[in-house]
Amino acid sequence: MGFFGDVPLINKRIYENLYNYMGLMLIPTLLFFILYGFVFMIPNKKRRFFWELRLYYLYVISFIVVYIFILSNLGINFKTVSTFEINTDFIRKLINKSLFEYKIGYLPTYILYEFINLSLRFKQFPFHYFYYALYGLGFFIFLLIVFGPFIRTINRSREKRRIERKRAGMNSVLIEQFEMQEKLGKGEKMSTVKSERKTSYPQKKNKKAKAETEAKVEEKIARSGIVFKNTVTIKDE
C-alpha cells in the first residue's frame, strides 16, 4: 500500500521494473514524455515539429553526456583513448560503474556496452574512432539545438526584407500610376507624361530627391482618400 493509498505502479512493481531498466535515466525519460505532451498540444504543425525535434535532441544528448562522464571516470579521455585497449577487466568495471555506482539502469548500460563492443566487432577501426564519434555526435546535436533557431531567425529576417522590398516596389509603381493619372486629369498629353517619366528615371538614383517626391505624392494620395499600406505580414511557422 502506498503512503496515501493504493498506488497501482507500486503494487504491481511497475515502477520498480522501470527503475531497474532505466535507472536514473528514468528522470530524463519521464521529462521527455511530459514535455512531449505539451508539445503535442501546439496547433501549428511546423512549430510542433520544431519542438519535437528539440525534445529528441535533448533526450539523446542526455545519454551521450552520461556515457562520456562514465568513460571519463574509467580513465578514458582524449589523452589516453588513442592507446586504450578494451579487455575483460575494463568491461567488468564498465558494467559495475554503470549499474551499481551510477545506477543508469540495464537498458542504458546495455547500449553503452554494445557501443564499446563495436570496436571489437569492427577491428579495422580502433576504439578511439568510436570515442571521437560519440563526441562528434554530441557536438553535432548541440549545434542543431543552439544554432537551429538562430538560422531560422536569419531566414525569417531575409524573407521579411524580401517582402518589404517587393511591397515597396509595388507601392512605387502605384504611386507613379497615380501621379500619371493626376497629370492626365489636369489635361496634359500622354506623350508629355511619358517623356516626363523617362526623364525622371535617372533622378531616382538620388535617394533624397526620390524621398521628397514620394512624400509629395503620398500627401496628394492621402488628400484624395487613397491609402497604401506598408505593413508586411510574415506567416508564423
Side-chain angles (χ1 to χ4, degrees):
M1 180 176 292
F3 186 77
F4 295 102
D6 293 336
V7 181
L9 288 177
I10 297 178
N11 289 338
K12 297 180 181 179
R13 294 188 176 181
I14 296 177
Y15 172 78
E16 183 179 349
N17 291 330
L18 286 175
Y19 185 79
N20 288 334
Y21 277 97
M22 296 302 297
L24 294 178
M25 298 307 295
L26 185 62
I27 297 175
T29 302
L30 291 176
L31 285 175
F32 171 82
F33 284 107
I34 292 172
L35 293 176
Y36 191 86
F38 288 102
V39 171
F40 187 76
M41 292 187 292
I42 297 176
N44 188 288
K45 292 183 179 180
K46 291 184 178 180
R47 186 180 293 273
R48 183 170 65 246
F49 180 71
F50 173 83
W51 287 110
E52 281 179 1
L53 286 179
R54 266 61 197 172
L55 278 180
Y56 284 114
Y57 293 156
L58 289 173
Y59 186 61
V60 173
I61 207 170
S62 65
F63 277 77
I64 293 175
V65 170
V66 170
Y67 290 161
I68 291 175
F69 174 77
I70 293 174
L71 292 176
S72 65
N73 280 273
L74 288 171
I76 302 176
N77 50 52
F78 283 106
K79 294 181 180 180
T80 61
V81 69
S82 58
T83 58
F84 179 79
E85 293 183 2
I86 300 175
N87 50 41
T88 306
D89 184 59
F90 170 76
I91 296 296
R92 180 178 56 81
K93 290 181 180 179
L94 176 70
I95 295 175
N96 287 335
K97 278 189 174 292
S98 300
L99 285 179
F100 305 112
E101 185 173 347
Y102 299 113
K103 299 179 181 180
I104 64 173
Y106 293 131
L107 183 59
T109 300
Y110 177 75
I111 295 174
L112 179 59
Y113 171 76
E114 287 296 326
F115 175 78
I116 298 297
N117 275 340
L118 286 176
S119 61
L120 298 178
R121 295 178 182 178
F122 303 96
K123 295 182 179 180
Q124 64 272 27
F125 299 106
F127 171 72
H128 61 269
Y129 284 8
F130 297 94
Y131 183 77
Y132 295 149
L134 186 65
Y135 264 95
L137 179 61
F139 182 71
F140 178 71
I141 294 176
F142 175 77
L143 290 179
L144 291 177
I145 295 173
V146 175
F147 291 100
F150 180 70
I151 294 174
R152 182 169 174 263
T153 302
I154 292 176
N155 291 334
R156 292 185 64 183
S157 178
R158 289 178 178 175
E159 181 67 13
K160 181 179 179 180
R161 288 196 298 268
R162 185 186 68 82
I163 294 176
E164 286 178 347
R165 288 195 297 267
K166 183 178 179 181
R167 182 62 59 85
M170 293 173 61
N171 286 348
S172 178
V173 172
L174 291 174
I175 290 172
E176 289 179 359
Q177 290 179 354
F178 181 84
E179 186 179 15
M180 184 175 65
Q181 290 177 359
E182 187 181 46
K183 290 181 179 180
L184 290 174
K186 292 180 179 180
E188 296 185 18
K189 296 181 180 180
M190 178 65 73
S191 58
T192 305
V193 175
K194 288 183 178 180
S195 62
E196 288 180 356
R197 289 182 64 190
K198 290 180 180 179
T199 55
S200 65
Y201 286 156
Q203 296 177 358
K204 290 184 179 180
K205 295 181 180 180
N206 190 335
K207 294 183 179 180
K208 185 177 180 180
K210 182 181 177 182
E212 291 177 355
T213 303
E214 289 184 355
K216 292 179 181 179
V217 175
E218 287 177 358
E219 184 180 354
K220 294 178 181 179
I221 293 173
R223 291 177 181 176
S224 63
I226 301 175
V227 179
F228 294 98
K229 295 183 179 180
N230 293 322
T231 57
V232 178
T233 303
I234 302 297
K235 293 183 179 180
D236 189 12
E237 296 181 359

